[in-house]
Amino acid sequence: RRSIIIMIGSESAEPATAEEKSGDDDDQVSSTYRRKAHYRQTRKRGKIIKEVKEQYIRSDLGFGITYTVEGDLNESDVEDDDDPSNKLHREVDLVVGRPSVIPTVQNLLDRLIANCKPYALVVADTNVLLHNLDVLEKAVLGGDGKNISGVMPNIVIPQTALMECRSNRLTAYDRAVDLLRSVTRELPTTTSTTQSKQESIQRHCPILFPDQNHAATAILQKRQIGAGSFATPNDENDWRIRRVAHYLAENTKGTNLKVVLLTDDRASRQMARQESGSLFEAHSVASWVKLLEQANPQMTSSLSDLIANLATNGSRGDESADVEAVQYVPHLESSDLSVGMQQGKYQRGTFRVVSQASGGKDRIGSVTVRNGQERVAVALSNQLQCNRAIDGDIVAVSINPVEEWITAASNMTEKAPTKERAEIPLETAETTPADLENVSESIAMHTNQQNISIMRPTGKVVGIMRRNFESYSGSIYETANNEKGTGGGESSSGTTSDLEEREMIASVYEREHADGTSTCVFFPVDQKVPPILIRTTQRSRLMGQRIVVAMDSWPAHSAFPLGHYVRTIGQAGSKDVETQVLLQEHNIPHEPFPAAVLACLPPDDYKVGADMTTSSPRLDLRHLPILSIDPPGCKDIDDCLHSLILPNGNYQIGVHIADVTHYVKPGTAIDLEAANRSTSTYLVNKRLDMLPGLLTTDLCSLKGGVDRYAFSVIWEVNEDAEIVEVEFHKTLIHSIAALTYQQAQSLIDQPEDANDVQACAVKGLAMLARKFRKRRIDAGALTLASPEVKFVLDSESLNPTDVQAYALLEANAVVEEFMLLANITVSKKILRHYPTLAVLRRHPSPNRSMFDSLISKAKSKGLKIEIENSKCLADSLDAAQVKEDPYVNKLLRILSTRCMSPAQYFCSGEFPPTEWHHYGLAAPVYTHFTSPIRRYADVCVHRLLAASINVAPLPPQLSSKSYLHDLCANMNRRHRSAQMAGRASVQLHTLIFFAGEGAKEEQAYILDIDTSNAPSFSVMVPRYGIEGKVRLSIDATDPNLTRIGQEHKLIYKSGSNGAVSLQVFDKVRVRIWVRETEDHRRELKLDLVEPRLGKKPDGGGEPPMKKAKKSN
């Protein structure tokens, strides 16, 4: 966390007397040092402990502390960032600021920016920092068009307000600190005079006022305060902040400077007027913003739109008050929650959204709470029980009586209907929050008959401990516009259900107000977030744009949360804009690495090998034929391999992994940043790294022809690929070649040549990999499949020009086999030394219910799928062949993958050994060791392995199971988010491809047939890796239509064409085209071309079709 350290301790302070140090003499007002002691009772065990607080009072803190320009960094020291929205932040980072005290009133007046209207020094209250930082940042930093000066450049943040902000919301605290530390400059100009240069740099003056340590404002004893004793700590804090405003106003009396207290606390404004009269002004944010806008008519965007939309804001919190809405139970006060938790009535936990309808209704959630030493997920089965909680909120939940619990087999969420639009499918089954956080969803209960019943606890949210309100990207829904391009076989009424839901919500809540503002419904792209009601003066300008909206409040009377506009990202549908949106939707960290992280990197003249010492010896393997095999253009090369024949006839095999932990030390800024990011994210057109580029693509990348540090696993194996011995070493290697998969495959296929070192190494690896692979498959490892595709991008625009299927070679399997072997070998090693602290990866066995649909579909084609264990599934998939169409077998493997939950990271001490198993690999234990450049889990495993072989101590945090639990939960969430972001990027580029190429016809396979609702079926198009629903232009009551559910089949009799039959796994031909919707989304649509059923689609409004070549 960023922080500001006030140097208040001191060389100038007089030594405190023994009487003063005791803290008993409150009359020592002139003391520069105070010690206060009090006693409190601990929550868990009820122990009485003594707490001592030291307070330094100084008379030399003047009128606050501000940052001044000290020097510039080189442009090359700050990593480039393609996001134009980060331009201002990069300019700020380029300037080094130094804190300094403002000693006198004249110094204060010299520092302030005098050409602002009105000329005022604004003192911000805590509630302004918590809720209206967007207003402060815009008003102070500016950025309005070409004028980067703010309209309110002079601001004071009292220490009390900053510390209270830190206690309530750390993200707001970080932003407030950034505001205080900002020392902005313009881009280089031709100005030469000192005054012009100073004006080109200093555009605002944020000041931190250390009121708790300032001799003029510190509270030394309660009886000195004119207002008497305080009823609550909040009253005391409000008084402290008013005291700051009073002190500044009193000392600047007689100047033309106006001091303003900015607070949304009406009582505090009234007290300010009572205590200080007309010495300074007190304004709410809304009233002060109105004055600023009147005084600065040149502003091109409204500050009013940035004001937080709180229920206490009078006219700005009533967007849904007169609309019939869900009546939620009011949240309990914090004092009631504290008492209830001490009594065991309520449990504290993190709220997660399990599912939610597109309109924000039918929300289902879960809260992870403690159950003794274990954690359990409490189910919240409807939106009333979720009670206005937002994903990530820390909430208090009341557990329902056992009679209201549900059985473990109960599924609160019905199977989601197949979406109308075509999209890139998920590779595995959807995860639940409980899966990601490695917590149980059920508890074993003893019934009256002494039987054990597995039950899922249910509950309801009764209060919010800490809000997780954030900023979200999305669009305002337009109710007036009709759908664009609705042809292609659908009638004008054929809108999708989620669009109908959005249309209904927008029509109910949109309205115009007498003050010229409009209430709009903002729909976030993040499906876990409900619609947000915002009030804006620029509705027409925001239509068709992707915007960012901050959530502010959710009153009990409102069906939806309230928020405010923050900024515009850009035109909806633009590739760059939609890429920014998907990164925010999936919460992917994409900001430039901060200076503290970059400071951890080696210097520019660093040379690998120069820092090798006898105290930490490395095995020098630069003489071995080590090489890497990766995709073309790979820059972050994690792994290398080698193989050679030993004198005894056995083989030596080595897997060499980049030694990231040599550069990323535990607990450093770069380590904390990597732990937060947890993984690199790969989009179609860019890569977002977990570590800075110097490590990712240079020092840690095992490039050919250079020395690099590695962590190596070296086996001795015989000709039958049986392991004789294994060793683990920190090493120094020198890769002789960085091969692509195609180059490695050429070496495998070429004739034997004893003089070709590279060929001998690759051939030896391939021979052994075949034997290792056969042994794994014989043990039950699954060979699954994915419809993954790759794009060919234009070299200039980076727009897709073609879509191709991935061609997997034997070289791919060679690398995969030895990475698996290394991961399994390392998992056994770290588990042997740290049986309760090992970071492992588990893949739970699937439930039969997850496979029921696939088993039924396979049966309809005369195929049998068995899932008793992974070996049975593997064998039955091998046997499930259709001679006429081999692709059906690949289709079954793809669908089998979707019947399984994804693998998860976990700490070995949290699960019994029976649950460590990796189902897909048929491995008793498994971990990730081979990709530390792009996965933080591998970094943890490297540290565990280093401690296991006594080359480095185990970091203290890795000795805590609680820390490892939270770390694994974060890694699981980040890993899933990165997968979803990558999928969304593929979806975006698929849309761009078809929007540019026009409609296309292509072969598809039927995956499912709707035998109960409107005639339709879902298909997969292997050529493009997309899936979607195809609606038939046949009425459900048509007597010519016959549907056979057990056979997943429909038959339609149509005059001259006779009977046409469609069954699951049949081949059909479809038309793929792009449609634009009312909320500025583009989506792929599929229409049936062959065989023809019913009337031909009219195709009105769709793009011209370009026929693709037919596939056999």
Side-chain angles (χ1 to χ4, degrees):
R1 289 288 174 184
R2 300 175 179 86
S3 62
I4 287 188
I5 301 175
I6 308 170
M7 301 305 294
I8 55 176
S10 80
E11 51 277 3
S12 62
E14 297 179 2
T17 65
E19 186 177 27
E20 290 168 352
K21 290 183 178 180
S22 68
D24 295 332
D25 187 359
D26 285 335
D27 293 327
Q28 297 292 330
V29 179
S30 61
S31 172
T32 59
Y33 173 77
R34 286 173 48 78
R35 248 175 117 206
K36 292 183 178 180
H38 72 279
Y39 297 87
R40 69 176 182 87
Q41 187 176 19
T42 60
R43 289 183 179 180
K44 289 187 176 181
R45 300 185 180 180
K47 290 184 176 180
I48 304 298
I49 63 173
K50 180 181 179 180
E51 288 189 347
V52 178
K53 180 180 180 181
E54 295 181 339
Q55 183 181 19
Y56 291 84
I57 309 300
R58 290 182 59 161
S59 59
D60 58 350
L61 294 177
F63 293 90
I65 299 168
T66 187
Y67 273 72
T68 56
V69 176
E70 184 180 50
D72 295 338
L73 290 173
N74 295 324
E75 294 274 355
S76 59
D77 292 335
V78 180
E79 294 205 342
D80 188 25
D81 181 30
D82 295 330
D83 186 354
S85 67
N86 287 326
K87 182 178 179 181
L88 177 61
H89 297 290
R90 292 204 304 276
E91 292 172 4
V92 171
D93 286 342
L94 288 172
V95 181
V96 179
R98 178 176 58 84
S100 61
V101 173
I102 304 174
T104 66
V105 173
Q106 188 57 49
N107 289 129
L108 173 65
L109 296 176
D110 291 342
R111 291 281 182 91
L112 297 180
I113 309 301
N115 60 353
C116 57
K117 301 177 183 179
Y119 178 39
L121 182 59
V122 178
V123 180
D125 194 3
T126 304
N127 52 48
V128 178
L129 298 183
L130 289 174
H131 304 297
N132 279 293
L133 267 172
D134 289 317
V135 174
L136 293 188
E137 289 172 340
K138 180 74 171 181
V140 174
L141 299 178
D144 183 52
K146 294 183 180 179
N147 174 25
I148 67 168
S149 298
V151 295
M152 191 183 73
N154 307 313
I155 186 171
V156 174
I157 298 180
Q159 179 187 3
T160 293
L162 189 64
M163 294 303 101
E164 197 174 2
C165 177
R166 184 175 67 175
S167 299
N168 285 275
R169 191 178 299 172
L170 285 172
T171 53
Y173 168 78
D174 284 346
R175 291 172 62 187
V177 169
D178 283 342
L179 181 62
L180 286 169
R181 297 180 63 181
S182 59
V183 184
T184 316
R185 69 173 186 185
E186 284 186 345
L187 296 176
T189 64
T190 57
T191 57
S192 57
T193 66
T194 304
Q195 183 177 359
S196 297
K197 183 176 181 181
Q198 178 64 22
E199 288 177 355
S200 71
I201 294 176
Q202 186 176 356
R203 291 288 184 161
H204 51 268
C205 183
I207 299 170
L208 172 69
F209 194 93
D211 60 285
Q212 296 178 10
N213 306 96
H214 198 292
T217 56
I219 297 178
L220 299 183
Q221 53 189 43
K222 302 291 185 186
R223 61 178 177 269
Q224 288 182 322
I225 301 171
S229 60
F230 301 112
T232 65
N234 186 63
D235 292 339
E236 179 180 337
N237 290 335
D238 287 344
W239 186 90
R240 290 176 183 270
I241 295 168
R242 292 195 300 272
R243 184 67 179 164
V244 173
H246 182 95
Y247 174 76
L248 293 171
E250 195 171 43
N251 282 274
T252 56
K253 195 162 45 175
T255 69
N256 62 343
L257 178 67
K258 178 192 298 185
V259 175
V260 175
L261 173 64
L262 196 62
T263 176
D264 277 330
D265 188 332
R266 183 177 301 173
S268 186
R269 294 198 299 270
Q270 293 173 349
M271 291 294 294
R273 297 184 184 104
Q274 294 174 11
E275 295 167 355
S276 303
S278 60
L279 189 61
F280 63 88
E281 298 180 11
H283 286 275
S284 67
V285 175
S287 65
W288 183 244
V289 163
K290 186 175 182 180
L291 288 174
L292 288 176
E293 291 181 334
Q294 291 172 350
N296 298 273
Q298 78 279 5
M299 294 176 60
T300 59
S301 59
S302 173
L303 277 177
S304 298
D305 284 358
L306 303 180
I307 299 176
N309 204 346
L310 304 173
T312 56
N313 279 358
S315 64
R316 288 189 63 90
D318 59 352
E319 276 70 6
S320 62
D322 58 339
V323 178
E324 184 178 352
V326 178
Q327 295 298 312
Y328 292 101
V329 176
H331 293 145
L332 298 179
E333 297 293 334
S334 57
S335 57
D336 296 329
L337 294 177
S338 179
V339 172
M341 287 193 202
Q342 290 178 3
Q343 296 174 349
K345 290 173 58 178
Y346 311 130
Q347 301 291 325
R348 175 190 174 106
T350 303
F351 174 82
R352 297 294 179 190
V353 174
V354 175
S355 68
Q356 175 177 274
S358 61
K361 297 183 178 180
D362 304 323
R363 303 178 77 221
I364 296 173
S366 72
V367 177
T368 300
V369 301
R370 285 277 187 178
N371 178 37
Q373 295 297 317
E374 299 180 351
R375 294 174 173 86
V376 65
V378 177
L380 312 177
S381 57
N382 56 55
Q383 60 190 34
L384 292 178
Q385 291 184 353
C386 294
N387 197 10
R388 296 171 285 143
I390 297 295
D391 192 78
D393 280 354
I394 305 299
V395 303
V397 63
S398 173
I399 310 296
N400 292 333
V402 177
E403 295 77 18
E404 299 180 23
W405 291 12
I406 58 180
T407 61
S410 300
N411 186 8
M412 295 188 300
T413 60
E414 296 181 2
K415 183 180 178 182
T418 303
K419 295 181 179 179
E420 297 284 332
R421 62 181 180 269
E423 58 185 13
I424 305 300
L426 292 171
E427 292 189 9
T428 61
E430 273 284 11
T431 56
T432 66
D435 290 334
L436 295 177
E437 297 182 10
N438 289 320
V439 297
S440 173
E441 291 187 304
S442 56
I443 297 176
M445 303 292 296
H446 290 275
T447 64
N448 294 333
Q449 292 78 22
Q450 300 301 315
N451 295 323
I452 296 179
S453 179
I454 307 299
M455 304 292 291
R456 296 178 65 182
T458 61
K460 55 181 176 289
V461 173
V462 297
I464 307 294
M465 309 293 292
R466 176 171 291 179
R467 277 295 191 186
N468 190 42
F469 286 164
E470 295 181 356
S471 296
Y472 308 96
S473 56
S475 299
I476 294 175
Y477 192 87
E478 292 185 68
T479 56
N481 285 5
N482 292 322
E483 186 181 339
K484 303 174 184 177
T486 56
E490 290 189 302
S491 64
S492 60
S493 62
T495 56
T496 58
S497 58
D498 61 336
L499 291 180
E500 291 173 349
E501 182 72 23
R502 294 180 180 211
E503 174 75 26
M504 182 188 70
I505 294 172
S507 63
V508 171
Y509 291 96
E510 280 190 356
R511 70 193 68 186
E512 302 291 335
H513 299 278
D515 60 357
T517 62
S518 303
T519 293
C520 305
V521 184
F522 169 82
F523 289 92
V525 292
D526 189 343
Q527 296 297 310
K528 299 189 295 295
V529 183
I532 303 173
L533 305 181
I534 68 170
R535 196 158 172 176
T536 178
T537 60
Q538 47 183 339
R539 180 180 184 275
S540 59
R541 291 174 56 188
L542 300 181
M543 288 301 179
Q545 303 291 312
R546 289 295 197 186
I547 65 174
V548 176
V549 164
M551 193 180 295
D552 298 319
S553 64
W554 195 342
H557 63 73
S558 178
F560 302 111
L562 311 181
H564 68 271
Y565 163 83
V566 176
R567 64 183 176 92
T568 298
I569 302 175
Q571 183 68 37
S574 164
K575 182 180 69 175
D576 292 338
V577 170
E578 295 300 332
T579 298
Q580 289 187 51
V581 169
L582 72 87
L583 291 175
Q584 186 165 9
E585 174 188 1
H586 299 291
N587 195 24
I588 303 297
H590 56 284
E591 301 81 9
F593 288 100
V597 171
L598 300 179
C600 298
L601 298 175
D604 292 339
D605 58 352
Y606 175 80
K607 199 170 185 180
V608 175
D611 54 351
M612 286 183 63
T613 63
T614 56
S615 59
S616 56
R618 285 180 178 269
L619 190 62
D620 192 339
L621 301 182
R622 288 178 290 180
H623 61 285
L624 295 179
I626 296 172
L627 48 80
S628 62
I629 305 174
D630 291 282
C634 181
K635 295 181 179 180
D636 52 340
I637 303 175
D638 288 282
D639 55 87
C640 284
L641 301 165
H642 89 266
S643 76
L644 51 85
I645 302 176
L646 296 173
N648 62 2
N650 288 341
Y651 289 84
Q652 183 186 82
I653 304 297
V655 169
H656 311 275
I657 307 301
D659 189 5
V660 171
T661 56
H662 178 79
Y663 304 99
V664 180
K665 302 301 183 183
T668 58
I670 193 171
D671 182 51
L672 298 177
E673 181 72 17
N676 176 49
R677 298 191 179 209
S678 284
T679 181
S680 294
T681 302
Y682 293 84
L683 307 182
V684 171
N685 59 338
K686 66 191 301 185
R687 183 187 70 239
L688 300 167
D689 294 325
M690 182 183 78
L691 296 169
L694 180 63
L695 298 184
T696 298
T697 61
D698 189 5
L699 295 181
C700 290
S701 183
L702 306 183
K703 300 184 291 186
V706 293
D707 292 351
R708 287 292 180 261
Y709 290 141
F711 209 154
S712 303
V713 184
I714 302 173
W715 299 268
E716 180 182 344
V717 300
N718 59 26
E719 287 190 356
D720 296 326
E722 295 173 338
I723 297 174
V724 177
E725 187 180 5
V726 61
E727 297 177 355
F728 307 90
H729 298 283
K730 291 265 188 163
T731 57
L732 177 65
I733 67 170
H734 185 98
S735 173
I736 62 172
L739 304 176
T740 65
Y741 286 123
Q742 187 60 55
Q743 290 171 335
Q745 188 63 45
S746 299
L747 294 177
I748 294 173
D749 295 338
Q750 76 178 36
E752 295 285 348
D753 183 357
N755 296 321
D756 191 333
V757 177
Q758 294 182 22
C760 290
V762 174
K763 282 179 173 291
L765 291 168
M767 180 271 294
L768 292 170
R770 297 183 196 110
K771 297 178 180 180
F772 279 118
R773 181 177 178 81
K774 183 178 184 305
R775 187 176 296 123
R776 271 197 317 108
I777 292 176
D778 290 345
L782 298 175
T783 304
L784 301 174
S786 166
E788 196 173 4
V789 296
K790 64 178 180 179
F791 290 92
V792 177
L793 302 180
D794 181 82
S795 58
E796 294 183 1
S797 67
L798 296 182
N799 286 333
T801 59
D802 194 13
V803 183
Q804 300 175 352
Y806 271 106
L808 295 179
L809 307 172
E810 184 184 2
N812 296 73
V814 170
V815 176
E816 177 189 16
E817 204 59 45
F818 285 107
M819 296 305 107
L820 293 175
L821 178 62
N823 288 334
I824 292 172
T825 303
V826 170
S827 68
K828 294 176 181 178
K829 178 68 175 179
I830 62 175
L831 194 57
R832 188 179 308 119
H833 289 265
Y834 299 101
T836 62
L837 300 174
V839 175
L840 302 178
R841 191 160 173 83
R842 60 190 289 265
H843 184 207
S845 301
N847 296 324
R848 183 175 182 85
S849 60
M850 301 170 73
F851 269 91
D852 283 344
S853 177
L854 179 58
I855 292 173
S856 176
K857 292 172 185 177
K859 184 179 179 181
S860 70
K861 300 292 285 188
L863 305 173
K864 187 176 182 180
I865 302 295
E866 298 180 356
I867 62 166
E868 282 70 22
N869 52 56
S870 60
K871 176 64 174 172
C872 291
L873 177 58
D875 291 344
S876 62
L877 286 174
D878 289 341
Q881 301 286 344
V882 175
K883 292 181 180 180
E884 299 79 15
D885 192 352
Y887 190 81
V888 171
N889 183 262
K890 183 176 181 179
L891 204 57
L892 288 171
R893 296 180 188 274
I894 292 172
L895 296 178
S896 294
T897 307
R898 298 181 195 171
C899 296
M900 304 177 196
S901 300
Q904 306 293 343
Y905 297 110
F906 72 103
C907 172
S908 58
E910 292 194 301
F911 288 86
T914 54
E915 296 186 32
W916 296 348
H917 185 75
H918 195 293
Y919 178 83
L921 298 175
V925 290
Y926 188 70
T927 194
H928 274 164
F929 164 77
T930 54
S931 295
I933 293 178
R934 59 184 178 90
R935 290 190 307 231
Y936 191 74
D938 303 59
V939 174
C940 298
V941 171
H942 276 231
R943 290 172 178 159
L944 287 163
L945 182 60
S948 300
I949 62 174
N950 297 318
V951 298
L954 185 68
Q957 59 266 35
L958 293 186
S959 299
S960 166
K961 285 198 292 185
S962 177
Y963 172 85
L964 288 172
H965 170 89
D966 294 339
L967 183 66
C968 289
N970 182 65
M971 291 191 298
N972 288 330
R973 283 193 296 269
R974 291 293 196 194
H975 179 75
R976 188 63 172 174
S977 294
Q979 286 182 322
M980 299 298 286
R983 170 178 172 260
S985 181
V986 173
Q987 176 80 8
L988 171 62
H989 283 76
T990 302
L991 283 168
I992 294 172
F993 174 76
F994 281 102
E997 292 290 316
K1000 288 179 175 287
E1001 289 184 6
E1002 190 57 59
Q1003 177 181 284
Y1005 284 85
I1006 297 177
L1007 299 181
D1008 192 24
I1009 291 183
D1010 192 336
T1011 58
S1012 57
N1013 300 310
S1016 63
F1017 56 88
S1018 60
V1019 299
M1020 185 182 76
V1021 185
R1023 171 76 170 79
Y1024 302 111
I1026 59 176
E1027 291 183 16
K1029 179 177 282 190
V1030 177
R1031 284 194 174 275
L1032 300 176
S1033 53
I1034 303 172
D1035 191 272
T1037 60
D1038 192 325
N1040 294 318
L1041 176 66
T1042 302
R1043 295 190 278 193
I1044 309 172
Q1046 292 182 345
E1047 298 182 14
H1048 301 275
K1049 186 177 186 179
L1050 65 81
I1051 302 172
Y1052 185 74
K1053 298 178 181 178
S1054 60
S1056 58
N1057 293 333
V1060 178
S1061 171
L1062 292 175
Q1063 189 175 18
V1064 69
F1065 302 142
D1066 282 355
K1067 282 192 290 188
V1068 294
R1069 196 163 186 81
V1070 296
R1071 177 187 295 112
I1072 310 166
W1073 56 286
V1074 177
R1075 179 178 71 175
E1076 294 187 25
T1077 63
E1078 292 96 327
D1079 57 344
H1080 307 287
R1081 290 186 301 170
R1082 289 186 297 180
E1083 55 184 34
L1084 286 178
K1085 299 294 294 181
L1086 302 176
D1087 293 329
L1088 181 64
V1089 176
E1090 296 176 4
R1092 185 174 300 170
L1093 278 76
K1095 63 181 181 179
K1096 182 180 179 180
D1098 58 20
E1102 68 176 88
M1105 186 187 71
K1106 295 183 180 180
K1107 288 191 176 182
K1109 294 181 180 179
K1110 289 190 176 183
S1111 302
N1112 295 324

